[in-house]
Amino acid sequence: MDNFKQNRIKKIELASGILIGIIIIGFIAYVIYQRENVIAGMLRIITSPAVLITDFLVIGGIGAVFLNAFLILIFNLTLTKLLKVEINGLVIACFFTVFGFSFFGKNILNVLPFYLGGILYSVFEHIDFKEIFITICFTTALAPFVSEVAFRVDTTDTSYINAIALGIIIGFIVTPLAKKMANFHEGFNLYNLGFTGGILGAVITSILKLYHFQIIPTRIISTEFDLALKILCTAVFIALIIIGFIINDSSFKGYRNLLKDTGLKADYVLKYGYGLTFINMGIMGFVAIGFLMLIGEKLNGPLLAGVLAVVGFSAYGKHFKNTIPILVGVWFAGWGTSTNGFTTALSALFGTSLAPVAGVYGTVWGIIAGWLHLAVVQSIGTVHGGLNLYNNGFSAGIVAGFLLPFMNITRTYKATQRMKYLKRKKQLYKAISEERKKWADEDEDDI
């Protein structure tokens, strides 16, 4: 078994190395071609308030954005190695999601205080930090709080200290909160930390506003890097499918079984192996890009984060059968309304966190969940002032928690009706059987 685990680890490390290599080559080539000042761009990213929606492609340029993303990725990979964290579906989902949000909202400095808070919590509770490592990684959704306090809200001499202290406090208290919040949506929102971050962000934002700290939402979105990002994504998705195909003994065998999975608390790595998981991730990447092309939206920092979140969580709950109903529901909700294409696209990609709804309760409920998600997500951001990057995860948690009682009532009613039908059917068969027996007895008497 130990050799089997070692082989799996080597396969995942090989796959990760190839994917990172593809991105690095594309990154270096593009930076050299554009002759960007990466260092100056990186400084602008680090000192940006980072409130929703701040596209770092506009702030720092594509070279600086990829440098920022790689620094965060390497930092997390190093911690994973040092802590000896097993690479499962949730870990893969975490890495892809955090990498994606490095294109808007997260930078290598504003995420660090959360890890310090997590370490302090692990010491306080006498637990191993690796047990809460993934929770802390996702908690960096609240990174804009650190940047906002450091560079906009508080202009005193202690602003940086205040920002670091706030990040440490959030990192310290988030783990018990996340465990509690998961009960609200019962796992039907894959982005549980988005829901937790929304609640926590709302409380902190309210406190800041109480002391007259003004948080100003922004809307900075790039439009010029669509082709470069699509080429890079296509290369990564093809690589994922090829690597998965090779790991899965050069076949797609078993993928149909994965597509039958509901996606509820489903770690595809543990259930189906790395091969099928990578195949699913690559396919879902093309589904996400295809959806953007279908509705005519260009790739930018936020939408790339949405695509990568879809790909990452295709290792933990998503496949095209349970995500397409969500996409359809969001698109349907935006059709014929004043909602712009970017908002619809972003809400649809991140709204696929509701994939287990479609997986467990069916396509119709999936479409309803997607439709309701777009309605909720457009208003819910004001609660936390745009400082929770996983705003869609917050919305999805509310939608899932709201729909669950109705979905369960419907399911119970259908189950009850089916039981009554089967009971009547059984009684009918019994009556027919008794009648046939009676006829047979009468025939014997006649003879």
Side-chain angles (χ1 to χ4, degrees):
M1 183 61 70
D2 290 337
N3 290 332
F4 178 70
K5 284 187 176 180
Q6 289 178 358
N7 289 332
R8 289 203 309 172
I9 292 171
K10 287 180 180 179
K11 287 178 180 180
I12 188 67
E13 287 179 344
L14 173 64
S16 301
I18 292 173
L19 289 174
I20 293 171
I22 290 171
I23 299 173
I24 289 176
I25 291 170
F27 159 70
I28 293 174
Y30 199 87
V31 169
I32 293 173
Y33 175 75
Q34 292 290 333
R35 297 180 180 178
E36 285 188 10
N37 188 334
V38 176
I39 303 301
M42 190 68 187
L43 287 173
R44 289 195 296 272
I45 288 174
I46 289 173
T47 56
S48 167
V51 68
L52 286 176
I53 297 174
T54 305
D55 191 337
F56 286 164
L57 287 168
V58 177
I59 301 297
I62 194 167
V65 166
F66 272 99
L67 177 60
N68 177 59
F70 278 120
L71 288 174
I72 293 177
L73 178 63
I74 292 169
F75 173 74
N76 284 323
L77 284 172
T78 302
L79 283 179
T80 302
K81 197 74 175 177
L82 292 174
L83 296 171
K84 297 180 180 179
V85 176
E86 184 180 356
I87 305 297
N88 56 29
L90 189 58
V91 173
I92 293 173
C94 177
F95 282 172
F96 270 81
T97 302
V98 173
F99 184 83
F101 275 91
S102 302
F103 287 80
F104 84 115
K106 299 182 184 182
N107 63 59
I108 190 58
L109 288 186
N110 67 9
V111 301
L112 295 180
F114 300 99
Y115 292 89
L116 293 175
I119 291 171
L120 289 176
Y121 176 79
S122 67
V123 172
F124 180 78
E125 288 290 333
H126 304 289
I127 59 175
D128 197 331
F129 178 59
K130 80 174 184 179
E131 294 180 22
I132 62 170
F133 170 68
I134 296 303
T135 298
I136 299 302
C137 281
F138 279 123
T139 303
T140 55
L142 296 172
F145 274 102
V146 175
S147 295
E148 188 76 9
V149 171
F151 300 109
R152 181 186 289 175
V153 169
D154 190 348
T155 57
T156 66
D157 295 335
T158 61
S159 59
Y160 303 115
I161 296 175
N162 293 339
I164 293 170
L166 178 59
I168 291 173
I169 291 170
I170 292 172
F172 186 88
I173 66 176
V174 73
T175 299
L177 278 175
K179 290 178 181 178
K180 195 70 176 177
M181 296 302 169
N183 295 329
F184 179 75
H185 53 76
E186 298 180 13
F188 282 89
N189 170 28
L190 295 175
Y191 304 163
N192 179 51
L193 259 298
F195 181 66
T196 307
I199 299 294
L200 185 55
V203 173
I204 298 173
T205 300
S206 300
I207 295 172
L208 291 175
K209 289 181 178 179
L210 179 64
Y211 292 96
H212 308 293
F213 292 133
Q214 296 300 316
I215 300 168
I216 305 171
T218 60
R219 190 178 178 85
I220 304 172
I221 303 170
S222 65
T223 57
E224 57 183 305
F225 301 106
D226 175 63
L227 181 59
L229 294 176
K230 280 180 179 173
I231 292 173
L232 191 58
C233 285
T234 300
V236 171
F237 301 155
I238 291 174
L240 277 168
I241 294 173
I242 292 174
I243 293 168
F245 183 79
I246 293 171
I247 293 175
N248 197 48
D249 298 326
S250 299
S251 75
F252 292 98
K253 186 178 180 180
Y255 189 58
R256 287 185 178 180
N257 292 331
L258 188 151
L259 294 178
K260 294 176 183 177
D261 201 297
T262 63
L264 181 62
K265 300 176 182 178
D267 189 324
Y268 292 159
V269 170
L270 299 181
K271 296 178 76 172
Y272 306 104
Y274 287 111
L276 290 176
T277 299
F278 287 153
I279 290 171
N280 188 51
M281 291 169 68
I283 291 173
M284 286 302 298
F286 284 116
V287 169
I289 293 291
F291 175 77
L292 294 180
M293 294 177 68
L294 188 65
I295 65 175
E297 283 300 308
K298 294 183 178 180
L299 262 182
N300 47 45
L303 290 181
L304 179 60
V307 170
L308 292 177
V310 170
V311 173
F313 274 90
S314 296
Y316 192 85
K318 297 182 184 180
H319 52 71
F320 68 82
K321 288 185 70 175
N322 64 8
T323 55
I324 288 179
I326 308 297
L327 295 174
V328 171
V330 174
W331 173 83
F332 182 73
W335 184 71
T337 67
S338 58
T339 307
N340 60 60
F342 171 78
T343 300
T344 300
L346 193 68
S347 301
L349 291 175
F350 286 119
T352 54
S353 60
L354 290 163
V357 172
V360 173
Y361 293 100
T363 300
V364 174
W365 278 113
I367 293 172
I368 292 172
W371 174 83
L372 187 58
H373 175 73
L374 181 64
V376 174
V377 77
Q378 294 187 80
S379 302
I380 207 69
T382 56
V383 175
H384 52 74
L387 296 178
N388 172 27
L389 293 174
Y390 301 167
N391 182 50
N392 279 269
F394 184 27
S395 170
I398 293 172
V399 170
F402 174 78
L403 288 179
L404 270 172
F406 302 104
M407 293 188 294
N408 286 331
I409 289 172
T410 305
R411 197 178 194 187
T412 302
Y413 174 77
K414 286 184 177 179
T416 303
Q417 292 300 111
R418 179 166 177 77
M419 288 296 293
K420 288 180 179 178
Y421 167 74
L422 291 175
K423 189 176 180 179
R424 288 196 301 268
K425 192 175 181 180
K426 186 177 180 180
Q427 291 174 343
L428 180 62
Y429 282 149
K430 185 178 180 181
I432 292 173
S433 178
E434 290 176 352
E435 194 67 25
R436 285 178 175 173
K437 186 178 180 182
K438 181 179 178 182
W439 292 343
D441 292 341
E442 290 176 353
D443 290 342
E444 288 180 2
D445 291 342
D446 293 339
I447 293 172

